[in-house]
Amino acid sequence: MSEAGFTVAIDGPAAAGKGTISRAVARAFGFAHLDTGQIYRAVGVKVLEAGADPADPEAAEPAAMSLSDADLAHPGLRTPKAADAASKVAAIPGVRAALLEFQRDFARRPGGAVLDGRDIGTVVCPDAEVKLYVTADDETRAERRWKELHAKGDVRSFKEVAFQLAERDARDASRADAPLKPAADAVLLDTTELDIDAAVAEAAAIIKKRLGQG
Ligand code: DC
């Protein structure tokens, strides 16, 4: 079958494994991949670097509207500070609106696309062929993020990482516009007890079935 317009939407809270699964299935099926969190991180960092408050719509909306490739390639997007700023700009409806068309165009590109984020299955691509909601329990997610940060030389404590993750998830899930939640028709994938290979294999099996290959 033709894979033109085949979209895989992967949502879930922070550090649940969305990024790893998305990259792996994109590679396996030859689909393009868009990490939509990177876009919000780029907007957040742009606002911070302008010396403004990421929660201020008057600063964040123009930043979202003028986002460049250079902003998306900024080397500081994976830091906890960038994550916090991303979550703040992401609560502003004007920011989300400015980024919507780019994400939708990406999702419908010929050859198939995987997008991961918080609202892909609910708002960006409600008609996606496959929707996954990837979760893991709070402790497991905090431990994964803490290990990731430590490997990069970040010395913050496990407790601090867990607190920041919980704070960000609460903000992402409670905002009025496009909150983090599973789409009604999403398949739930809990990665608490799964290693990377097993989680990727489950996701790939769901995609294969929808492609008529399973
Ligand atoms: O996936 P991530 O941790 O890189 O995302 C950073 C923040 O961006 C996240 O806390 C909320 C926001 N975000 C969003 O609101 N919608 C998306 N589709 C992706 C990310």
Side-chain angles (χ1 to χ4, degrees):
M1 78 178 259
S2 159
E3 276 131 44
F6 192 96
T7 306
V8 180
I10 303 188
D11 292 303
K18 300 184 302 290
T20 308
I21 293 172
S22 300
R23 278 189 297 276
V25 295
R27 206 178 312 119
F29 291 93
F31 296 160
H33 171 226
L34 182 65
D35 171 357
T36 64
Q38 270 316 80
I39 307 174
Y40 290 93
R41 285 170 184 259
V43 176
V45 167
K46 193 170 173 140
V47 174
L48 286 178
E49 288 193 341
D53 175 4
D56 177 5
E58 294 201 5
E61 287 172 9
M65 283 184 241
S66 64
L67 205 66
S68 67
D69 288 343
D71 295 326
L72 288 164
H74 190 293
L77 300 187
R78 295 308 308 169
T79 65
K81 207 169 157 191
D84 181 68
S87 174
K88 287 177 178 158
V89 299
I92 300 169
V95 167
R96 306 199 72 83
L99 305 175
L100 195 55
E101 196 179 310
F102 171 74
Q103 296 175 78
R104 284 193 175 146
D105 286 349
F106 190 97
R108 283 300 171 202
R109 61 172 51 203
V114 181
L115 286 82
D116 74 281
R118 303 292 186 289
D119 63 335
I120 308 303
T122 51
V123 175
V124 178
C125 306
D127 299 325
E129 281 70 19
V130 174
K131 295 183 188 179
L132 298 178
Y133 191 82
V134 180
T135 56
D137 69 29
D138 295 354
E139 176 104 7
T140 303
R141 294 188 296 107
E143 200 179 307
R144 287 178 188 163
R145 184 50 49 90
W146 180 73
K147 279 188 183 154
E148 189 187 318
L149 289 169
H150 259 239
K152 289 188 205 159
D154 191 304
V155 294
R156 77 195 65 213
S157 68
F158 173 77
K159 221 171 141 182
E160 190 180 348
V161 172
F163 177 80
Q164 287 172 344
L165 216 64
E167 188 183 41
R168 189 149 67 92
D169 286 341
R171 190 188 299 117
D172 294 344
S174 66
R175 66 181 177 227
D177 190 21
L180 164 69
K181 66 171 179 196
D185 52 350
V187 177
L188 224 69
L189 183 53
D190 187 330
T191 65
T192 307
E193 304 289 340
L194 298 178
D195 64 18
I196 291 169
D197 290 347
V200 169
E202 279 207 24
I206 293 163
I207 295 168
K208 257 192 187 159
K209 202 167 161 202
R210 186 66 178 80
L211 280 167
Q213 301 171 359

